[in-house]
Amino acid sequence: MKSTKGSLKSVKLTCRVGCTGLFLGLVISGPWAIAADKEEVAGRQGQKTYAVSMGDSYIAGEGGRWKGNSNREQSLFSWARQADQDLTDRVKLDKRKISEIYNNTWDDEGCHRSDSAEIFGALRPSAWPDKAKAPGILRVDPEPDKAKDDAKLVDNVVNIACSGAETKDFSQRFKGEQPQIKQLKDLLDKRNRETLSTVFVSVGGNDLNLSGVATDCATRWFKGWLASSCQADDKVKNAVDSRIKDLKSKIMKTVGLIQGALLDGPERSRGARIVIQSYPNPVVGQSKIRFHNFGYQRYAYCGAPFNNETLEFLRDTSKKLDDMYFEVAKEMNADSKKGAKANISFLSLRKLFDGHEVCSTDSVSAIKEQVSAGKAEWARYVYGASREIPLVGKIIGVKAEEVQESLHPNFYGQQALQYCARTFLRRSELSAGHPLPAPPLYAECVGRKGLNPEKVTVGTRS
């Protein structure tokens, strides 16, 4: 595929489906090509490159254990949980230990970095580990010219994101680890002969206490008519709106810390692109929810304990967050003092799970057999509400770390995230042989009903 300066032709890519069922096609548009100085290009030829992911659970890989959802897990009885284990759990399906899936970071105080985390999609094909060691990584190269595609992707990736991290944890120790900025600086020092091309950043959800908001909304749903919905409670809405407003300055400060680390690092990495990400929306709107607004089927059968008003409230919150992150990228690029030394791009993920949300009529839960990625839900359903019921939680053995996976990208969702990251890197042409810094990109990944992760579209966010 040939690019044109200032634009990128729409391209349809096809290939055979590999063991993870990825890479069938995509359509991309936008100003993705960059000009290159011949001497600078020549100087970068042969250099090894790498990409880094920083932030919280969504980019760390939380939820990567599950291939979709079953519709029987929500029973209080442990024998009825078998469908989840038989039909969706990679521990059984892939014959892997939880410690292997989460790279020895699986416990209540662990960072939950899974083997299918988004950043692995950035690896060039020749750098992919053996299937037995990393079955969650993309396996198939969609480019007709594999050697050319291989030359445009990074050699290595590093995931320093951690489940539960807030913006403050970029500058302070968290879960026994060094501050993420300190870890980035150490990487730059250690890999001073390599070029850092891209830093993917996903953070802010924990600053907003989104898990707490979702828990509150679910609790209100269980109370039924005895409690108002989140949407109807002005205190909840106003608190979330206020936190989003405050979060904007925190995100700018965090990005500034990353810029500072890059400027203090090796010259070859000072122009690395910083990519601010939003979050995939895991819940469906009221028009496509599988069960009606009354009764407990939404939770019992598909793990979505929210009424119609709450569903719209959560989706609206997702949109507000997406818009805020986009504003941060644009404003920091426009500000010469904040954006001159490092290019800040934005990757919108809000629509990535479209057609694959939890409890959507467009997706399917596993009942008697496994569900393919194209039909499955791409986020882990709300799990473990029964853990809060006295004695019951202890009887069925629901663990805190399992509850944390709720509403996070599952294995299929992370495959879609990998595809977005890989496509972003390929189209931005950030690697050996291409100049840094490159112009900022504003991109958007969008999913669709019935399509596999490799068929999500990646275009320009406007």
Side-chain angles (χ1 to χ4, degrees):
M1 184 201 77
K2 296 183 179 180
S3 61
T4 303
K5 182 178 178 181
S7 66
L8 184 72
K9 298 178 181 179
S10 295
V11 179
K12 184 177 182 181
L13 305 176
T14 60
C15 71
R16 282 188 306 159
V17 179
C19 59
T20 57
L22 288 170
F23 286 105
L24 283 174
L26 84 146
V27 177
I28 305 177
S29 62
W32 295 70
I34 58 175
D37 178 86
K38 293 182 179 180
E39 292 184 3
E40 187 170 11
V41 168
R44 293 184 184 278
Q45 292 288 352
Q47 289 183 4
K48 286 189 175 182
T49 59
Y50 67 106
V52 174
S53 57
M54 306 179 71
D56 56 26
S57 54
Y58 270 73
I59 201 168
E62 183 91 70
R65 173 180 173 180
W66 307 96
K67 291 184 175 181
N69 296 318
S70 75
N71 77 338
R72 298 178 63 193
E73 172 70 13
Q74 302 307 324
S75 172
L76 298 180
F77 302 100
S78 59
W79 57 264
R81 301 169 62 189
Q82 197 64 40
D84 217 43
Q85 297 171 0
D86 290 345
L87 303 177
T88 67
D89 192 352
R90 291 179 58 211
V91 171
K92 186 164 187 175
L93 295 175
D94 295 342
K95 295 179 172 55
R96 290 173 63 79
K97 297 178 181 178
I98 297 179
S99 59
E100 293 176 327
I101 292 174
Y102 280 107
N103 298 306
N104 296 312
T105 63
W106 175 252
D107 56 55
D108 191 16
E109 292 301 316
C111 285
H112 296 189
R113 300 183 183 115
S114 76
D115 62 354
S116 58
E118 173 187 334
I119 193 65
F120 289 114
L123 284 176
R124 58 169 56 179
S126 63
W128 287 337
D130 293 336
K131 177 183 176 183
K133 296 180 180 179
I137 296 177
L138 304 179
R139 308 302 308 169
V140 182
D141 178 14
E143 291 281 6
D145 185 350
K146 184 171 183 178
K148 181 178 180 180
D149 180 64
D150 191 64
K152 288 187 178 181
L153 297 180
V154 299
D155 299 279
N156 299 295
V157 296
V158 182
N159 183 7
I160 60 178
C162 189
S163 178
E166 301 179 24
T167 52
K168 65 182 181 182
D169 298 314
F170 276 65
S171 54
Q172 68 179 28
R173 292 183 65 88
F174 183 64
K175 292 189 175 181
E177 295 191 355
Q178 292 289 340
Q180 291 193 31
I181 289 297
K182 175 65 165 56
Q183 293 184 58
L184 177 61
K185 290 181 177 180
D186 290 346
L187 277 173
L188 289 166
D189 289 341
K190 182 179 180 179
R191 297 176 177 268
N192 56 40
R193 294 183 179 276
E194 300 176 46
T195 299
L196 173 60
S197 73
T198 309
V199 180
F200 290 94
V201 185
S202 171
V203 71
N206 294 310
D207 293 71
L208 295 178
N209 189 29
L210 288 182
S211 62
V213 172
T215 299
D216 177 50
C217 292
T219 301
R220 290 167 183 257
W221 180 82
F222 275 111
K223 292 180 180 179
W225 60 271
L226 295 175
S228 62
S229 68
C230 293
Q231 177 71 8
D233 193 330
D234 288 337
K235 290 184 178 179
V236 174
K237 290 192 297 182
N238 292 339
V240 171
D241 289 343
S242 177
R243 290 174 194 159
I244 291 177
K245 184 178 180 180
D246 293 340
L247 179 61
K248 185 175 181 179
S249 60
K250 293 181 180 180
I251 298 298
M252 287 185 166
K253 179 180 178 181
T254 300
V255 174
L257 291 174
I258 297 173
Q259 289 178 320
L262 295 177
L263 292 175
D264 291 339
E267 183 177 357
R268 59 170 51 92
S269 296
R270 291 176 185 175
R273 188 192 305 281
I274 300 172
V275 183
I276 303 172
Q277 296 185 179
S278 59
Y279 295 96
N281 181 13
V283 297
V284 71
Q286 60 179 312
S287 65
K288 290 191 174 183
I289 191 78
R290 286 183 209 159
F291 300 98
H292 56 70
N293 205 24
F294 304 99
Y296 289 93
Q297 292 96 330
R298 288 186 182 180
Y299 179 66
Y301 294 105
C302 57
F306 308 113
N307 61 27
N308 290 343
E309 293 78 10
T310 296
L311 290 172
E312 298 306 323
F313 166 68
L314 294 175
R315 289 176 66 85
D316 184 58
T317 298
S318 176
K319 184 180 184 305
K320 290 178 180 178
L321 266 177
D322 189 84
D323 291 340
M324 183 273 291
Y325 288 120
F326 192 21
E327 289 175 4
V328 168
K330 291 189 295 184
E331 290 179 16
M332 293 192 74
N333 283 321
D335 189 327
S336 60
K337 293 182 179 180
K338 296 177 181 177
K341 298 299 182 180
N343 291 284
I344 302 164
S345 294
F346 173 61
L347 186 57
S348 174
L349 302 175
R350 181 173 69 90
K351 300 178 182 178
L352 179 61
F353 290 178
D354 282 7
H356 301 273
E357 303 98 329
V358 172
C359 210
S360 170
T361 56
D362 288 341
S363 55
V364 179
S365 297
I367 301 177
K368 295 182 179 180
E369 59 184 10
Q370 284 183 255
V371 176
S372 66
K375 296 180 179 179
E377 298 165 347
W378 289 356
R380 180 69 170 158
Y381 53 33
V382 176
Y383 172 82
S386 56
R387 187 173 184 267
E388 305 304 320
I389 302 175
L391 297 180
V392 172
K394 292 184 178 180
I395 292 175
I396 65 175
V398 178
K399 299 179 180 179
E401 54 266 33
E402 294 175 325
V403 176
Q404 288 178 215
E405 294 175 307
S406 298
L407 300 183
H408 282 77
N410 60 30
F411 180 81
Y412 294 140
Q414 290 182 22
Q415 296 273 290
L417 287 166
Q418 285 186 28
Y419 187 75
C420 288
R422 180 173 172 79
T423 303
F424 185 94
L425 276 182
R426 188 190 301 113
R427 301 312 169 214
S428 63
E429 302 186 40
L430 285 174
S431 62
H434 294 278
L436 297 175
L441 306 178
Y442 303 136
E444 177 181 56
C445 296
V446 182
R448 197 169 64 182
K449 173 185 175 181
L451 297 186
N452 288 339
E454 73 277 7
K455 284 193 173 182
V456 299
T457 58
V458 185
T460 301
R461 170 63 157 87
S462 58

